[in-house]
Amino acid sequence: MARVDPEDDDIRRFVVHHYRYDPARHERRHVLVAAFDTATEARACLDLVRAEIERRRETDPGFDRREYVSSRTLEPGDRRREANSRLLRRTIRHGVTPGDWAGDLELPSSTSRLRFGREPGRRTTAMLRWRLRRWREDR
Protein backbone atom coordinates (compact mmCIF):
# COMPACT_ATOMS: atom_id res chain seq x y z
CA MET A 1 0.00 0.00 0.00
CA ALA A 2 1.42 3.37 -1.02
CA ARG A 3 1.00 5.64 1.96
CA VAL A 4 1.27 9.40 1.60
CA ASP A 5 1.63 12.28 4.02
CA PRO A 6 -1.88 13.30 5.20
CA GLU A 7 -0.64 16.89 5.63
CA ASP A 8 0.50 17.20 2.00
CA ASP A 9 -1.98 19.72 0.60
CA ASP A 10 -0.67 19.46 -2.97
CA ILE A 11 -2.14 16.03 -3.72
CA ARG A 12 -5.48 14.27 -3.50
CA ARG A 13 -5.39 11.88 -0.56
CA PHE A 14 -7.71 9.31 0.98
CA VAL A 15 -7.45 9.42 4.77
CA VAL A 16 -8.61 6.65 7.14
CA HIS A 17 -9.56 7.54 10.74
CA HIS A 18 -10.43 5.33 13.70
CA TYR A 19 -12.85 6.89 16.19
CA ARG A 20 -11.72 5.64 19.58
CA TYR A 21 -10.50 6.65 23.01
CA ASP A 22 -7.08 8.31 22.84
CA PRO A 23 -5.29 7.76 26.18
CA ALA A 24 -2.69 10.43 25.37
CA ARG A 25 -5.38 13.12 25.19
CA HIS A 26 -7.92 11.53 27.58
CA GLU A 27 -10.77 11.84 25.09
CA ARG A 28 -12.54 10.06 22.26
CA ARG A 29 -11.51 11.38 18.89
CA HIS A 30 -10.77 10.48 15.28
CA VAL A 31 -7.25 9.05 15.33
CA LEU A 32 -5.37 8.99 12.03
CA VAL A 33 -4.68 5.47 10.78
CA ALA A 34 -3.13 6.21 7.38
CA ALA A 35 -3.42 8.26 4.18
CA PHE A 36 -3.24 6.80 0.70
CA ASP A 37 -3.01 8.09 -2.85
CA THR A 38 -5.69 5.74 -4.24
CA ALA A 39 -9.22 4.94 -3.09
CA THR A 40 -8.63 1.20 -3.51
CA GLU A 41 -5.79 1.17 -0.99
CA ALA A 42 -7.78 3.29 1.44
CA ARG A 43 -10.74 0.88 1.14
CA ALA A 44 -8.45 -2.09 1.85
CA CYS A 45 -7.10 -0.38 4.99
CA LEU A 46 -10.63 0.58 6.03
CA ASP A 47 -11.75 -3.05 5.69
CA LEU A 48 -8.78 -4.30 7.75
CA VAL A 49 -9.47 -1.87 10.60
CA ARG A 50 -13.21 -2.62 10.44
CA ALA A 51 -12.50 -6.38 10.69
CA GLU A 52 -10.26 -5.76 13.70
CA ILE A 53 -12.97 -3.69 15.39
CA GLU A 54 -15.56 -6.42 14.74
CA ARG A 55 -13.21 -9.09 16.09
CA ARG A 56 -12.62 -7.09 19.27
CA ARG A 57 -16.34 -6.35 19.58
CA GLU A 58 -17.14 -10.08 19.62
CA THR A 59 -14.31 -11.21 21.94
CA ASP A 60 -13.74 -8.30 24.38
CA PRO A 61 -16.60 -7.75 26.87
CA GLY A 62 -15.19 -4.31 27.78
CA PHE A 63 -15.14 -3.10 24.18
CA ASP A 64 -16.32 0.46 23.59
CA ARG A 65 -19.33 0.12 21.27
CA ARG A 66 -18.86 3.69 20.00
CA GLU A 67 -15.69 2.80 18.09
CA TYR A 68 -15.82 2.88 14.32
CA VAL A 69 -13.62 3.50 11.29
CA SER A 70 -14.22 6.11 8.61
CA SER A 71 -12.48 7.65 5.64
CA ARG A 72 -12.59 10.91 3.77
CA THR A 73 -11.17 12.28 0.57
CA LEU A 74 -9.10 15.45 0.84
CA GLU A 75 -8.68 17.37 -2.38
CA PRO A 76 -5.59 19.48 -3.17
CA GLY A 77 -5.84 22.85 -1.40
CA ASP A 78 -8.42 21.75 1.22
CA ARG A 79 -6.22 22.65 4.19
CA ARG A 80 -5.42 26.08 2.72
CA ARG A 81 -9.10 26.84 2.07
CA GLU A 82 -10.08 25.75 5.59
CA ALA A 83 -7.31 27.95 7.06
CA ASN A 84 -8.62 30.91 5.04
CA SER A 85 -12.12 30.25 6.34
CA ARG A 86 -10.88 30.16 9.96
CA LEU A 87 -8.96 33.40 9.40
CA LEU A 88 -12.08 35.13 8.06
CA ARG A 89 -14.23 33.83 10.95
CA ARG A 90 -11.70 34.92 13.59
CA THR A 91 -11.44 38.34 11.98
CA ILE A 92 -15.20 38.88 12.18
CA ARG A 93 -15.41 37.37 15.68
CA HIS A 94 -12.85 39.92 16.89
CA GLY A 95 -14.89 42.78 15.47
CA VAL A 96 -12.57 43.58 12.58
CA THR A 97 -14.16 44.28 9.22
CA PRO A 98 -12.37 42.23 6.55
CA GLY A 99 -10.74 44.49 4.00
CA ASP A 100 -10.09 44.06 0.30
CA TRP A 101 -7.71 41.19 1.09
CA ALA A 102 -10.69 39.01 2.04
CA GLY A 103 -12.00 39.08 -1.53
CA ASP A 104 -8.84 37.34 -2.73
CA LEU A 105 -9.15 34.41 -0.33
CA GLU A 106 -10.07 31.04 -1.76
CA LEU A 107 -12.73 29.58 0.55
CA PRO A 108 -14.32 26.13 0.86
CA SER A 109 -17.76 25.60 -0.64
CA SER A 110 -19.27 25.51 2.87
CA THR A 111 -18.26 29.14 3.54
CA SER A 112 -19.90 32.21 2.08
CA ARG A 113 -19.07 35.91 2.17
CA LEU A 114 -21.49 38.80 2.61
CA ARG A 115 -20.67 42.26 1.33
CA PHE A 116 -22.54 45.38 2.23
CA GLY A 117 -23.24 48.22 -0.20
CA ARG A 118 -21.43 50.79 1.93
CA GLU A 119 -18.32 50.74 4.04
CA PRO A 120 -19.33 48.82 7.18
CA GLY A 121 -19.02 50.89 10.30
CA ARG A 122 -19.25 50.03 13.95
CA ARG A 123 -23.07 49.68 13.85
CA THR A 124 -23.01 47.36 10.82
CA THR A 125 -20.33 45.14 12.36
CA ALA A 126 -22.35 44.87 15.59
CA MET A 127 -25.45 43.94 13.58
CA LEU A 128 -23.49 41.30 11.67
CA ARG A 129 -22.19 39.81 14.94
CA TRP A 130 -25.74 39.80 16.34
CA ARG A 131 -27.03 37.98 13.23
CA LEU A 132 -24.20 35.44 13.40
CA ARG A 133 -24.97 34.78 17.07
CA ARG A 134 -28.66 34.24 16.30
CA TRP A 135 -27.77 31.96 13.40
CA ARG A 136 -25.53 29.84 15.66
CA GLU A 137 -28.27 29.60 18.32
CA ASP A 138 -30.78 28.39 15.74
CA ARG A 139 -28.51 25.56 14.61
Side-chain angles (χ1 to χ4, degrees):
M1 292 187 194
R3 294 183 181 215
V4 296
D5 181 15
E7 306 295 321
D8 186 0
D9 204 28
D10 295 331
I11 60 171
R12 183 178 198 201
R13 56 231 182 263
F14 302 88
V15 183
V16 178
H17 286 102
H18 181 181
Y19 183 77
R20 64 178 172 84
Y21 180 76
D22 185 1
R25 293 178 53 170
H26 305 289
E27 66 182 358
R28 263 184 213 83
R29 69 185 194 99
H30 292 277
V31 178
L32 175 71
V33 176
F36 301 94
D37 57 353
T38 65
T40 307
E41 293 170 342
R43 175 55 84 185
C45 178
L46 188 86
D47 291 340
L48 283 173
V49 175
R50 185 176 290 140
E52 174 63 22
I53 290 173
E54 288 301 320
R55 186 193 61 75
R56 285 189 17 243
R57 182 171 292 168
E58 293 171 0
T59 59
D60 185 7
F63 178 77
D64 183 5
R65 300 261 176 215
R66 292 172 279 195
E67 279 191 37
Y68 64 90
V69 64
S70 63
S71 70
R72 62 189 281 213
T73 303
L74 298 175
E75 297 294 334
D78 274 353
R79 291 179 58 85
R80 182 185 67 251
R81 285 187 292 274
E82 286 299 327
N84 290 342
S85 178
R86 281 192 301 276
L87 173 66
L88 195 57
R89 259 183 291 157
R90 283 195 335 253
T91 302
I92 293 169
R93 194 175 295 143
H94 285 283
V96 177
T97 303
D100 293 334
W101 57 268
D104 298 335
L105 291 178
E106 185 182 358
L107 298 173
S109 61
S110 61
T111 304
S112 61
R113 258 183 300 241
L114 296 175
R115 288 205 101 159
F116 295 98
R118 60 183 175 81
E119 182 64 31
R122 183 179 179 92
R123 182 180 172 100
T124 307
T125 304
M127 178 62 80
L128 178 61
R129 271 198 261 139
W130 176 79
R131 286 185 184 196
L132 282 171
R133 233 178 292 131
R134 285 202 49 212
W135 178 77
R136 285 189 194 126
E137 290 170 0
D138 291 343
R139 292 187 84 194

